[in-house]
Amino acid sequence: MPGPTSARYARGFAAAVLATATLILAANAGPARAAEEGPRAPRPPASAPAAPLSLFSPASY
């Protein structure tokens, strides 16, 4: 007859299997699709990134 310790291990194992199955199903769900596929607005041009300040440049004194 199984004791309380083996019942606890069985519940823990069942919870681990359920959690693993949930994660696998969630990973395979895929991204949601847009509700309406219409023409997209043009994106503005990206601006050039600012140059980082050097430790030795006069602007950092």
Side-chain angles (χ1 to χ4, degrees):
M1 179 170 159
T5 303
S6 47
R8 187 181 327 148
Y9 284 131
R11 282 194 309 266
F13 182 75
V17 169
L18 180 65
T20 303
T22 303
L23 289 173
I24 290 172
L25 289 174
N28 290 331
R33 297 190 182 248
E36 182 177 313
E37 300 255 348
R40 292 186 177 180
R43 294 180 62 177
S47 61
L53 291 177
S54 171
L55 293 175
F56 302 107
S57 68
S60 65
Y61 293 162

